[in-house]
């Protein structure tokens, strides 16, 4: 006799959706959707259950969500959840999607490394998680050399001012994820990477996956008196403006990296001499004159960078039961090898001149 399956999904900023079901002959049976959401009319819940019953257990989350949407009566109101949320709960019941509590999490504290090694580690550790050799991991970056890390698809020529790069001795590195350029001097921003199995975001849109993976950091910021939120697709902001941005890269081995940089105390005058794009991005913020700074985390929290890092790590550990970890010598050696063979080469950096 088939055993009952159970899946749960908490909507970001919304309600809990629960699915209990059986699978017989490759199809969903006896499906029961429940939760603390709101739904009108009441009978629409029967329509949702009926739509799910008989579906193949191999359908994608998008296909399941489409079936639910098609079955809803005209004028139905789903408040605090969605057809997509139901689909994710179904996938979790089928063990094709995972939740935070399904994994043992590690945290790697800030470790001062060359910027190119930090970038290479994003590739190495994502591969390690995908291969099952490392637990899903949160890693905080640290560095000393003034650097710019450009997105995978950015043009070196369009993003950087050669005179500013030379004047300030900027190290330029291209990362594996998309998104915009990061101007990084020692202590001027907070950067972290999450290495996770893609099952954690199964069924989520790209936009929703950003918010989902950073729910913990928004909670950490709130504990510091900073009310932050996401602006689609990948910007973290407060009412006073943008404080950071995220980027992702999904590998074919089933793992992904989610990378975030937030401004702590950036010399904007220097930044616009190094980044061409900076002049346009900052033109509406009154920061074209000298001696201006972009310092949202320092100013809005009143905390040191180290205190903020500690609060973030503690929030993540408390939420997900994460344990301290360190980089292995094998991981560092592989990262240094990839710097030599890839990330420090002109072939990689100038692949989009």
């Amino acid at each position: 006799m088939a055993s009952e399956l159970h899946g749960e999904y908490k909507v970001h900023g919304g309600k809990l959706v629960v699915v209990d079901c059986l699978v017989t002959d490759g199809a969903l049976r006896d499906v029961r959707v429940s939760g603390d959401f709101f739904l009108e009319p009441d009978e629409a819940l029967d329509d949702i259950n009926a739509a799910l019953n008989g579906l193949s257990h191999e359908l994608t989350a998008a296909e399941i969500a489409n079936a639910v949407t098609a079955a809803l009566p005209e004028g139905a109101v789903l408040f605090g959840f969605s057809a997509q949320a139901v689909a994710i709960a179904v996938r979790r019941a089928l063990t094709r999607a995972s939740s935070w509590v399904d994994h043992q999490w590690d945290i790697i504290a800030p470790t001062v490394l060359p910027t190119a090694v930090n970038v290479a580690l994003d590739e190495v550790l994502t591969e390690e998680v995908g291969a099952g050799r490392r637990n899903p991991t949160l890693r905080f970056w640290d560095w000393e050399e003034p650097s710019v890390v450009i997105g995978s698809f950015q043009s070196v020529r369009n993003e950087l001012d050669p005179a500013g790069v030379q004047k300030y001795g900027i190290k330029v590195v291209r990362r594996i994820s998309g998104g915009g350029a990061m101007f990084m001097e020692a202590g001027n921003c907070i950067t972290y990477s999450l290495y996770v199995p893609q099952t954690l975001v199964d069924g989520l849109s790209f936009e929703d996956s950003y918010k989902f993976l950073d729910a913990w950091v928004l909670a950490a910021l709130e504990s510091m008196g900073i009310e932050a939120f996401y602006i689609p697709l990948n910007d973290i902001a407060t009412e006073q403006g943008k404080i950071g941005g995220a980027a992702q890269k999904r590998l074919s081995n089933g793992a992904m990296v989610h990378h975030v940089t937030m401004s702590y105390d950036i010399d904007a005058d220097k930044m616009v001499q190094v980044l061409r794009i900076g002049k346009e991005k900052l033109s509406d913020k009154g920061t074209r004159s000298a001696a201006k700074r972009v310092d949202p985390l320092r100013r809005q929290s009143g905390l040191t960078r180290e205190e903020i890092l500690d609060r973030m790590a503690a929030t993540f550990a408390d939420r997900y039961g994460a344990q301290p970890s360190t980089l292995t010598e094998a991981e560092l050696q592989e990262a240094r090898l990839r710097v030599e063979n890839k990330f420090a080469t002109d072939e990689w950096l100038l692949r989009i001149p």
Side-chain angles (χ1 to χ4, degrees):
M1 181 176 179
S3 58
E4 186 169 78
L5 305 176
H6 179 86
E8 299 183 1
Y9 175 63
K10 172 67 167 62
V11 178
H12 179 76
K15 298 298 184 178
L16 179 70
V17 180
V18 180
V19 169
D20 295 288
C21 65
L22 301 173
V23 173
T24 57
D25 299 325
L28 301 180
R29 305 293 182 192
D30 194 22
V31 182
R32 300 181 307 284
V33 175
S34 60
D36 59 355
F37 50 78
F38 300 90
L39 176 63
E40 295 289 347
D42 287 356
E43 296 76 17
L45 185 59
D46 295 330
D47 296 324
I48 293 174
N49 289 332
L52 295 171
N53 271 292
L55 291 182
S56 168
H57 73 294
E58 295 182 344
L59 292 184
T60 66
E63 290 168 330
I64 296 169
N66 288 339
V68 171
T69 300
L72 290 171
E74 185 177 355
V77 177
L78 287 67
F79 186 72
F81 79 121
S82 64
Q84 182 186 48
V86 173
I88 295 170
V90 170
R91 295 278 293 182
R92 288 187 173 176
L94 297 171
T95 69
R96 288 179 172 80
S98 59
S99 65
W100 294 95
V101 297
D102 292 326
H103 304 285
Q104 173 60 57
W105 294 90
D106 290 343
I107 300 178
I108 299 176
T111 305
V112 175
L113 293 166
T115 304
V117 174
N118 273 311
V119 169
L121 279 169
D122 271 2
E123 184 173 74
V124 172
L125 296 183
T126 306
E127 291 179 2
E128 290 297 287
V129 169
R133 292 187 292 266
R134 167 174 279 282
N135 289 332
T137 299
L138 167 65
R139 179 177 73 93
F140 291 98
W141 292 31
D142 217 340
W143 62 95
E144 290 180 343
E145 58 190 345
S147 309
V148 168
V149 179
I150 63 173
S152 180
F153 308 106
Q154 289 188 296
S155 160
V156 173
R157 183 184 301 120
N158 291 341
E159 299 301 324
L160 297 165
D161 187 322
V165 169
Q166 182 176 12
K167 177 180 179 180
Y168 295 110
I170 303 296
K171 175 69 174 179
V172 181
V173 185
R174 185 185 295 277
R175 63 179 183 269
I176 62 172
S177 59
M182 302 151 43
F183 175 69
M184 303 168 60
E185 292 184 291
N188 77 347
C189 55
I190 289 174
T191 297
Y192 63 84
S193 296
L194 270 171
Y195 312 102
V196 305
Q198 292 175 35
T199 55
L200 190 63
V201 297
D202 182 88
L204 293 175
S205 67
F206 275 94
E207 179 180 331
D208 287 343
S209 72
Y210 280 89
K211 294 183 291 186
F212 176 76
L213 292 175
D214 280 332
W216 66 274
V217 82
L218 298 185
L221 292 171
E222 184 177 6
S223 75
M224 296 177 252
I226 300 175
E227 296 293 334
F229 48 87
Y230 250 89
I231 298 176
L233 173 66
N234 63 330
D235 285 346
I236 302 173
T238 69
E239 293 296 339
Q240 299 179 51
K242 178 179 175 179
I243 62 174
Q248 294 180 358
K249 176 66 176 179
R250 305 184 185 208
L251 302 188
S252 60
N253 69 355
M256 63 182 289
V257 57
H258 175 86
H259 171 97
V260 172
T261 293
M262 294 185 287
S263 302
Y264 178 73
D265 189 6
I266 292 178
D267 186 333
D269 181 62
K270 184 182 295 185
M271 181 170 67
V272 298
Q273 294 179 61
V274 173
L275 298 180
R276 296 186 188 277
I277 194 67
K279 298 180 177 67
E280 178 64 21
K281 282 191 173 182
L282 295 176
S283 63
D284 63 346
K285 297 179 175 63
T287 54
R288 286 175 292 179
S289 59
K292 296 290 184 179
R293 305 194 74 85
V294 179
D295 61 348
L297 289 183
R298 182 183 64 80
R299 175 169 34 84
Q300 294 181 42
S301 72
L303 301 176
T304 66
R305 179 174 178 267
E306 290 70 26
E307 288 171 329
I308 293 174
L309 286 166
D310 288 344
R311 185 74 62 86
M312 287 182 175
T315 299
F316 189 88
D318 289 345
R319 277 197 164 207
Y320 309 127
Q323 301 295 319
S325 181
T326 58
L327 294 164
T328 68
E329 188 55 39
E331 289 166 345
L332 283 168
Q333 287 181 355
E334 180 62 25
R336 294 183 182 114
L337 182 63
R338 295 195 191 192
V339 169
E340 180 181 348
N341 295 331
K342 178 177 179 179
F343 292 100
T345 67
D346 285 345
E347 181 182 7
W348 171 252
L349 177 63
L350 300 178
R351 69 190 188 96
I352 304 177

